[in-house]
Amino acid sequence: QPISERKQLLTEIEAFLLKNKMPPSRFGRLAMNDTGFMTRFRNGADVRMETAATLRTFMERYEKRVRPKTRVPRPEPLSRVA
């Protein structure tokens, strides 16, 4: 049986939350201006197609904005010539 669109979206969001170490309430606030969104969605609430598109767009844009924090090595100090 094919996976439902709702379940697919939930899987995508859960993966996004884990990857970005983002609490569900923060995701809801940033993506939907609704801190309780993920609680309701996880508990079976449906979303409209437009809402699903908004959520996916948010995740794509967030991924592009956030760059992995890489440590840039400091240059070695110049040695003084005596």
Side-chain angles (χ1 to χ4, degrees), residues 16-51:
F16 173 86
L17 295 177
L18 283 173
K19 179 180 178 184
N20 293 286
K21 298 181 174 90
M22 183 180 290
S25 59
R26 182 162 188 249
F27 175 81
R29 181 172 47 83
L30 294 175
M32 302 294 300
N33 198 27
D34 178 359
T35 56
F37 170 78
M38 280 305 295
T39 300
R40 291 191 306 280
F41 192 47
R42 285 173 169 165
N43 288 329
D46 252 337
V47 295
R48 298 184 329 228
M49 289 177 65
E50 295 84 5
T51 303

Short mmCIF file of all heavy atoms in Angstrom, two decimals, residues 16-51:
data_model
loop_
_atom_site.label_atom_id
_atom_site.label_comp_id
_atom_site.label_asym_id
_atom_site.label_seq_id
_atom_site.Cartn_x
_atom_site.Cartn_y
_atom_site.Cartn_z
N PHE A 16 13.81 16.45 9.13
CA PHE A 16 14.31 17.82 9.17
C PHE A 16 14.60 18.24 10.62
O PHE A 16 15.65 18.83 10.90
CB PHE A 16 13.27 18.76 8.54
CG PHE A 16 13.59 20.22 8.68
CD1 PHE A 16 14.39 20.86 7.75
CD2 PHE A 16 13.07 20.96 9.73
CE1 PHE A 16 14.70 22.22 7.88
CE2 PHE A 16 13.36 22.31 9.87
CZ PHE A 16 14.18 22.94 8.95
N LEU A 17 13.69 17.92 11.53
CA LEU A 17 13.87 18.28 12.93
C LEU A 17 15.12 17.62 13.52
O LEU A 17 15.91 18.27 14.21
CB LEU A 17 12.63 17.89 13.75
CG LEU A 17 11.34 18.62 13.42
CD1 LEU A 17 10.19 18.08 14.27
CD2 LEU A 17 11.48 20.12 13.61
N LEU A 18 15.30 16.34 13.23
CA LEU A 18 16.48 15.63 13.73
C LEU A 18 17.76 16.22 13.15
O LEU A 18 18.71 16.49 13.88
CB LEU A 18 16.39 14.14 13.38
CG LEU A 18 15.45 13.30 14.22
CD1 LEU A 18 15.34 11.89 13.65
CD2 LEU A 18 15.92 13.25 15.67
N LYS A 19 17.78 16.41 11.85
CA LYS A 19 18.97 16.90 11.17
C LYS A 19 19.39 18.28 11.68
O LYS A 19 20.56 18.56 11.85
CB LYS A 19 18.73 16.95 9.66
CG LYS A 19 19.90 17.47 8.87
CD LYS A 19 19.58 17.50 7.39
CE LYS A 19 20.76 18.06 6.61
NZ LYS A 19 20.46 18.20 5.20
N ASN A 20 18.39 19.12 11.92
CA ASN A 20 18.68 20.50 12.32
C ASN A 20 18.60 20.72 13.82
O ASN A 20 18.71 21.86 14.28
CB ASN A 20 17.74 21.45 11.59
CG ASN A 20 18.04 21.47 10.12
OD1 ASN A 20 19.04 22.04 9.69
ND2 ASN A 20 17.20 20.83 9.32
N LYS A 21 18.39 19.64 14.57
CA LYS A 21 18.29 19.70 16.04
C LYS A 21 17.32 20.81 16.46
O LYS A 21 17.60 21.62 17.33
CB LYS A 21 19.67 19.93 16.65
CG LYS A 21 20.64 18.81 16.38
CD LYS A 21 21.98 19.07 17.04
CE LYS A 21 22.91 17.90 16.88
NZ LYS A 21 23.74 17.95 15.69
N MET A 22 16.16 20.80 15.81
CA MET A 22 15.17 21.84 16.06
C MET A 22 13.99 21.27 16.84
O MET A 22 13.42 20.26 16.44
CB MET A 22 14.66 22.41 14.71
CG MET A 22 13.67 23.54 14.87
SD MET A 22 13.08 24.19 13.29
CE MET A 22 14.54 24.99 12.67
N PRO A 23 13.60 21.92 17.92
CA PRO A 23 12.41 21.48 18.64
C PRO A 23 11.16 21.67 17.78
O PRO A 23 11.08 22.61 17.00
CB PRO A 23 12.36 22.40 19.86
CG PRO A 23 13.70 23.04 19.95
CD PRO A 23 14.26 23.05 18.57
N PRO A 24 10.17 20.78 17.94
CA PRO A 24 8.95 20.88 17.15
C PRO A 24 8.22 22.21 17.31
O PRO A 24 7.66 22.74 16.35
CB PRO A 24 8.07 19.73 17.65
CG PRO A 24 8.97 18.86 18.44
CD PRO A 24 10.18 19.64 18.81
N SER A 25 8.25 22.76 18.51
CA SER A 25 7.55 24.04 18.73
C SER A 25 8.22 25.17 17.96
O SER A 25 7.54 26.05 17.42
CB SER A 25 7.48 24.38 20.22
OG SER A 25 8.79 24.46 20.76
N ARG A 26 9.53 25.12 17.87
CA ARG A 26 10.25 26.16 17.11
C ARG A 26 9.95 26.02 15.62
O ARG A 26 9.75 27.01 14.91
CB ARG A 26 11.76 26.06 17.35
CG ARG A 26 12.53 27.14 16.62
CD ARG A 26 13.93 27.31 17.18
NE ARG A 26 14.54 28.46 16.57
CZ ARG A 26 15.57 28.39 15.71
NH1 ARG A 26 16.09 27.22 15.41
NH2 ARG A 26 16.07 29.48 15.19
N PHE A 27 9.92 24.78 15.14
CA PHE A 27 9.56 24.54 13.74
C PHE A 27 8.19 25.12 13.45
O PHE A 27 8.00 25.84 12.45
CB PHE A 27 9.58 23.04 13.43
CG PHE A 27 9.11 22.72 12.05
CD1 PHE A 27 9.94 22.85 10.96
CD2 PHE A 27 7.80 22.27 11.84
CE1 PHE A 27 9.50 22.55 9.67
CE2 PHE A 27 7.35 21.98 10.57
CZ PHE A 27 8.19 22.12 9.48
N GLY A 28 7.23 24.82 14.31
CA GLY A 28 5.88 25.33 14.11
C GLY A 28 5.83 26.85 14.11
O GLY A 28 5.14 27.45 13.29
N ARG A 29 6.58 27.46 15.01
CA ARG A 29 6.60 28.92 15.08
C ARG A 29 7.23 29.53 13.83
O ARG A 29 6.69 30.46 13.24
CB ARG A 29 7.35 29.39 16.33
CG ARG A 29 7.37 30.91 16.48
CD ARG A 29 7.94 31.36 17.81
NE ARG A 29 9.17 30.71 18.20
CZ ARG A 29 10.38 31.07 17.78
NH1 ARG A 29 10.52 32.08 16.95
NH2 ARG A 29 11.45 30.43 18.20
N LEU A 30 8.38 28.98 13.42
CA LEU A 30 9.07 29.54 12.26
C LEU A 30 8.33 29.28 10.95
O LEU A 30 8.26 30.15 10.09
CB LEU A 30 10.49 28.98 12.16
CG LEU A 30 11.45 29.36 13.29
CD1 LEU A 30 12.77 28.63 13.13
CD2 LEU A 30 11.66 30.87 13.32
N ALA A 31 7.79 28.07 10.80
CA ALA A 31 7.16 27.69 9.52
C ALA A 31 5.72 28.16 9.41
O ALA A 31 5.27 28.54 8.32
CB ALA A 31 7.23 26.18 9.34
N MET A 32 4.99 28.14 10.54
CA MET A 32 3.54 28.38 10.48
C MET A 32 3.07 29.47 11.46
O MET A 32 1.88 29.72 11.54
CB MET A 32 2.78 27.09 10.81
CG MET A 32 3.09 25.93 9.90
SD MET A 32 2.55 26.21 8.21
CE MET A 32 0.82 26.44 8.44
N ASN A 33 3.99 30.03 12.23
CA ASN A 33 3.63 30.97 13.29
C ASN A 33 2.64 30.32 14.26
O ASN A 33 1.66 30.93 14.68
CB ASN A 33 3.07 32.28 12.70
CG ASN A 33 3.11 33.40 13.71
OD1 ASN A 33 3.93 33.41 14.60
ND2 ASN A 33 2.20 34.35 13.57
N ASP A 34 2.92 29.04 14.59
CA ASP A 34 2.01 28.24 15.41
C ASP A 34 2.83 27.20 16.17
O ASP A 34 3.21 26.17 15.62
CB ASP A 34 0.98 27.56 14.51
CG ASP A 34 0.01 26.68 15.26
OD1 ASP A 34 0.11 26.55 16.49
OD2 ASP A 34 -0.87 26.09 14.59
N THR A 35 3.12 27.48 17.45
CA THR A 35 3.98 26.57 18.22
C THR A 35 3.34 25.20 18.45
O THR A 35 4.05 24.23 18.68
CB THR A 35 4.34 27.18 19.59
OG1 THR A 35 3.14 27.50 20.28
CG2 THR A 35 5.19 28.42 19.42
N GLY A 36 2.03 25.09 18.37
CA GLY A 36 1.36 23.81 18.60
C GLY A 36 1.11 23.01 17.35
O GLY A 36 0.52 21.92 17.41
N PHE A 37 1.59 23.50 16.22
CA PHE A 37 1.31 22.82 14.94
C PHE A 37 1.76 21.36 14.95
O PHE A 37 0.99 20.47 14.58
CB PHE A 37 1.98 23.56 13.77
CG PHE A 37 1.93 22.79 12.49
CD1 PHE A 37 0.76 22.76 11.75
CD2 PHE A 37 3.01 22.05 12.05
CE1 PHE A 37 0.68 22.01 10.59
CE2 PHE A 37 2.95 21.30 10.89
CZ PHE A 37 1.78 21.29 10.16
N MET A 38 3.00 21.10 15.35
CA MET A 38 3.53 19.73 15.27
C MET A 38 2.80 18.78 16.22
O MET A 38 2.61 17.62 15.87
CB MET A 38 5.04 19.71 15.55
CG MET A 38 5.88 20.12 14.36
SD MET A 38 5.57 19.14 12.87
CE MET A 38 6.13 17.52 13.38
N THR A 39 2.40 19.26 17.37
CA THR A 39 1.64 18.40 18.28
C THR A 39 0.35 17.93 17.62
O THR A 39 0.03 16.74 17.63
CB THR A 39 1.33 19.14 19.60
OG1 THR A 39 2.55 19.52 20.22
CG2 THR A 39 0.52 18.27 20.54
N ARG A 40 -0.36 18.87 17.03
CA ARG A 40 -1.62 18.50 16.36
C ARG A 40 -1.38 17.62 15.15
O ARG A 40 -2.09 16.64 14.92
CB ARG A 40 -2.39 19.76 15.95
CG ARG A 40 -2.96 20.54 17.13
CD ARG A 40 -3.93 21.62 16.70
NE ARG A 40 -3.37 22.54 15.71
CZ ARG A 40 -2.55 23.55 15.98
NH1 ARG A 40 -2.18 23.78 17.24
NH2 ARG A 40 -2.10 24.33 15.02
N PHE A 41 -0.35 17.93 14.37
CA PHE A 41 -0.05 17.15 13.17
C PHE A 41 0.37 15.72 13.54
O PHE A 41 -0.09 14.76 12.93
CB PHE A 41 1.05 17.85 12.35
CG PHE A 41 1.23 17.30 10.96
CD1 PHE A 41 0.15 17.06 10.13
CD2 PHE A 41 2.50 17.04 10.48
CE1 PHE A 41 0.33 16.56 8.84
CE2 PHE A 41 2.69 16.55 9.19
CZ PHE A 41 1.60 16.30 8.38
N ARG A 42 1.21 15.59 14.56
CA ARG A 42 1.61 14.26 15.02
C ARG A 42 0.43 13.46 15.55
O ARG A 42 0.41 12.23 15.48
CB ARG A 42 2.67 14.37 16.11
CG ARG A 42 4.04 14.75 15.61
CD ARG A 42 4.98 15.02 16.75
NE ARG A 42 6.36 15.12 16.34
CZ ARG A 42 7.33 15.63 17.09
NH1 ARG A 42 7.07 16.08 18.31
NH2 ARG A 42 8.55 15.68 16.63
N ASN A 43 -0.56 14.16 16.09
CA ASN A 43 -1.74 13.50 16.66
C ASN A 43 -2.84 13.25 15.65
O ASN A 43 -3.96 12.90 16.03
CB ASN A 43 -2.28 14.30 17.85
CG ASN A 43 -1.37 14.19 19.06
OD1 ASN A 43 -0.71 13.18 19.26
ND2 ASN A 43 -1.33 15.24 19.85
N GLY A 44 -2.56 13.46 14.37
CA GLY A 44 -3.51 13.07 13.33
C GLY A 44 -4.17 14.18 12.56
O GLY A 44 -4.96 13.90 11.65
N ALA A 45 -3.90 15.43 12.90
CA ALA A 45 -4.51 16.54 12.16
C ALA A 45 -4.03 16.52 10.71
O ALA A 45 -2.90 16.17 10.41
CB ALA A 45 -4.15 17.87 12.80
N ASP A 46 -4.93 16.85 9.82
CA ASP A 46 -4.59 16.93 8.40
C ASP A 46 -4.14 18.33 8.05
O ASP A 46 -4.42 19.28 8.79
CB ASP A 46 -5.82 16.57 7.54
CG ASP A 46 -5.66 15.22 6.89
OD1 ASP A 46 -4.51 14.76 6.73
OD2 ASP A 46 -6.68 14.61 6.52
N VAL A 47 -3.45 18.46 6.92
CA VAL A 47 -3.07 19.77 6.42
C VAL A 47 -3.52 19.89 4.97
O VAL A 47 -3.59 18.90 4.25
CB VAL A 47 -1.54 20.02 6.52
CG1 VAL A 47 -1.08 20.07 7.95
CG2 VAL A 47 -0.75 19.01 5.73
N ARG A 48 -3.81 21.12 4.58
CA ARG A 48 -4.18 21.37 3.18
C ARG A 48 -2.94 21.27 2.31
O ARG A 48 -1.81 21.39 2.80
CB ARG A 48 -4.80 22.76 3.04
CG ARG A 48 -6.08 22.92 3.84
CD ARG A 48 -6.73 24.27 3.60
NE ARG A 48 -5.74 25.31 3.31
CZ ARG A 48 -5.70 26.50 3.86
NH1 ARG A 48 -6.58 26.83 4.75
NH2 ARG A 48 -4.77 27.38 3.53
N MET A 49 -3.15 21.12 1.03
CA MET A 49 -2.03 21.04 0.09
C MET A 49 -1.18 22.31 0.14
O MET A 49 0.04 22.26 0.06
CB MET A 49 -2.53 20.78 -1.33
CG MET A 49 -3.08 19.38 -1.51
SD MET A 49 -3.74 19.09 -3.16
CE MET A 49 -2.28 19.24 -4.16
N GLU A 50 -1.85 23.45 0.30
CA GLU A 50 -1.13 24.73 0.37
C GLU A 50 -0.23 24.77 1.61
O GLU A 50 0.89 25.29 1.57
CB GLU A 50 -2.10 25.92 0.40
CG GLU A 50 -2.93 26.08 -0.85
CD GLU A 50 -4.19 25.22 -0.86
OE1 GLU A 50 -4.49 24.54 0.17
OE2 GLU A 50 -4.87 25.20 -1.89
N THR A 51 -0.72 24.22 2.71
CA THR A 51 0.06 24.19 3.94
C THR A 51 1.26 23.27 3.77
O THR A 51 2.37 23.62 4.19
CB THR A 51 -0.81 23.73 5.13
OG1 THR A 51 -1.92 24.61 5.25
CG2 THR A 51 -0.02 23.71 6.43
#
